[in-house]
């Protein structure tokens, strides 16, 4: 064996070793990141047929030592749930320094209902079906399943002048945090005059803005409900409560717990039905709730 041939051989082995090591490092990077191109359906992970499509409304955040997912969500003004969903994190505490997380811009989380298609959901939120599919790495719009959570990019519509001095986009606080199981608008041909936020039974409901309690008690299909008057013709209504904790006439602010969420009245599971009423006319609460949607 000549010396030249020997050197060539050694170089080839070195190159192959380097390639092997690079592959190991790439594959070994954070288990959460390795799952970025996978989709959570129920408790199982399945790989969609195409890679996650990037869009312009997501940026990256590099995890710093000591960061928690809650910190990162708050820092970026998004919900913990949205952050976990955007990064396909199976375990919310499983992040490490140096890991890069996707930070989606303003999103809400929709809880897919039985029989619902991606097209139905796109119509409910007035968001293009392809935008929702891309944001969720959902290659086949026909494969969504009930109970799955989807990120819906929020785009505040041109509202025109606010209906009152007090009411503008982002003016109301979220009474509680959770995935939207039914947005405002026509559903199966019938108007849904508020939004449904799916939560656990007993979750505290806070006032969306300062005001005064004008109704508490049982109210037909609404079940146990609370109505707050905020002045200037604006009222908010909280329905399907399990327990009411305020009385008519009480002044409230956004820290006041009005009631506990429940399943009373015409309801198929614990949730808050929230209405925003301007002089008695229901408005889409998503247009007025603050953009920052913290969770947990
Ligand atoms: Zn409802």
């Amino acid at each position: 064996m000549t010396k030249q041939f020997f050197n060539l051989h050694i170089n080839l082995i070195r190159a192959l070793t380097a390639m092997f090591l690079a592959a190991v490092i790439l594959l070994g990077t954070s288990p959460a990141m390795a799952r970025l191109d996978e989709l959570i359906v129920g408790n199982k992970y399945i790989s969609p047929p195409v890679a996650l499509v990037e869009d312009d409304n997501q940026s990256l955040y590099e995890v710093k030592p000591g960061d928690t997912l809650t910190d990162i969500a708050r820092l970026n003004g998004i919900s913990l749930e949205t952050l976990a969903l955007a990064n396909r994190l199976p375990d919310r505490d499983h992040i490490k320094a140096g890991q890069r997380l996707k930070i989606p811009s303003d999103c809400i989380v929709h809880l897919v209902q039985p029989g619902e298609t991606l097209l139905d959901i796109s119509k409910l939120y007035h968001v293009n079906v392809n935008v929702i599919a891309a944001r969720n790495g959902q290659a086949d719009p026909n494969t969504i399943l009930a109970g799955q959570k989807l990120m819906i990019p929020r785009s505040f519509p041109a509202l025109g002048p606010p209906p009152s001095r007090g009411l503008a986009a982002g003016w109301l606080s979220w009474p509680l945090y959770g995935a939207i199981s039914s947005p405002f608008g026509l559903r199966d041909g019938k108007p849904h005059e508020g939004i449904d936020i799916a939560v656990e039974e007993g979750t505290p409901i806070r006032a969306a803005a300062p005001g005064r309690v004008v109704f508490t008690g049982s109210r037909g299909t609404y079940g146990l409900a609370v109505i707050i008057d905020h002045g200037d013709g604006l009222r908010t209504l909280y329905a399907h409560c399990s327990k009411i904790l305020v009385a008519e006439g009480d002044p409230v602010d956004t820290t006041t717990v009005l009631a506990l969420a429940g399943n009373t009245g015409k309801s198929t599971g614990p949730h808050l039905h929230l209405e925003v009423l301007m002089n008695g006319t229901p408005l889409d609460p998503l247009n007025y709730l603050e953009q920052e949607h913290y969770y947990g």
Side-chain angles (χ1 to χ4, degrees):
M1 196 187 286
T2 66
K3 196 177 174 188
Q4 270 169 334
F5 181 80
F6 181 76
N7 281 343
L8 189 72
H9 209 74
I10 289 290
N11 285 337
L12 190 67
I13 289 169
R14 277 188 187 145
L16 285 171
T17 308
M19 279 166 69
F20 176 74
L21 282 175
V24 167
I25 289 166
L26 273 174
L27 291 171
T29 321
S30 155
M33 294 303 283
R35 287 181 171 142
L36 264 182
D37 59 351
E38 291 178 332
L39 186 66
I40 306 167
V41 176
N43 293 323
K44 284 185 297 197
Y45 290 96
I46 58 163
S47 296
V50 297
L52 197 67
V53 180
E54 299 292 343
D55 63 51
D56 293 333
N57 297 319
Q58 299 197 74
S59 53
L60 288 174
Y61 175 87
E62 191 168 311
V63 179
K64 293 170 186 61
D67 273 352
T68 66
L69 216 50
T70 307
D71 295 338
I72 299 166
R74 282 187 194 282
L75 197 66
N76 290 284
I78 59 170
S79 76
L80 182 53
E81 187 155 32
T82 302
L83 182 61
L85 206 58
N87 292 281
R88 309 276 186 264
L89 293 173
D91 173 357
R92 286 178 173 177
D93 300 323
H94 199 100
I95 51 167
K96 58 184 182 184
Q99 183 177 345
R100 286 187 172 184
L101 297 176
K102 289 183 176 199
I103 307 294
S105 62
D106 191 28
C107 268
I108 56 154
V109 177
H110 176 76
L111 186 66
V112 178
Q113 300 300 296
E116 210 165 46
T117 67
L118 209 56
L119 193 62
D120 296 334
I121 297 166
S122 82
K123 286 178 184 162
L124 289 172
Y125 290 95
H126 311 288
V127 177
N128 185 289
V129 69
N130 295 322
V131 172
I132 301 177
R135 175 59 67 91
N136 292 278
Q138 189 81 37
D140 181 353
N142 299 314
T143 60
I144 60 165
L145 296 178
Q148 185 181 344
K149 289 175 179 172
L150 291 174
M151 284 187 292
I152 313 291
R154 277 175 70 189
S155 50
F156 281 106
L159 290 172
S164 94
R165 281 179 291 117
L167 190 61
W171 190 72
L172 298 175
S173 299
W174 286 83
L176 44 64
Y177 302 112
I180 308 294
S181 51
S182 182
F184 177 91
L186 282 180
R187 189 169 190 116
D188 303 327
K190 288 178 223 137
H192 184 228
E193 299 188 331
I195 57 169
D196 291 346
I197 308 171
V199 288
E200 284 179 20
E201 177 104 19
T203 304
I205 302 168
R206 292 184 167 80
R212 189 170 293 275
V213 179
V214 291
F215 176 86
T216 63
S218 192
R219 202 177 174 88
T221 54
Y222 286 116
L224 285 180
V226 177
I227 301 177
I228 308 292
D229 191 309
H230 305 283
D232 289 332
L234 177 69
R235 288 183 169 193
T236 51
L237 178 150
Y238 312 77
H240 310 302
C241 307
S242 60
K243 190 175 184 190
I244 292 172
L245 301 172
V246 288
E248 281 171 35
D250 285 356
V252 296
D253 62 30
T254 55
T255 65
T256 311
V257 176
L258 305 174
L260 303 180
N263 195 22
T264 56
K266 194 180 168 210
S267 172
T268 54
H271 74 281
L272 168 67
H273 169 94
L274 172 70
E275 288 186 16
V276 173
L277 300 148
M278 179 54 68
N279 299 317
T281 302
L283 304 173
D284 184 352
L286 287 181
N287 289 340
Y288 303 101
L289 287 162
E290 62 193 342
Q291 289 194 37
E292 292 178 349
H293 181 176
Y294 298 143
Y295 185 85

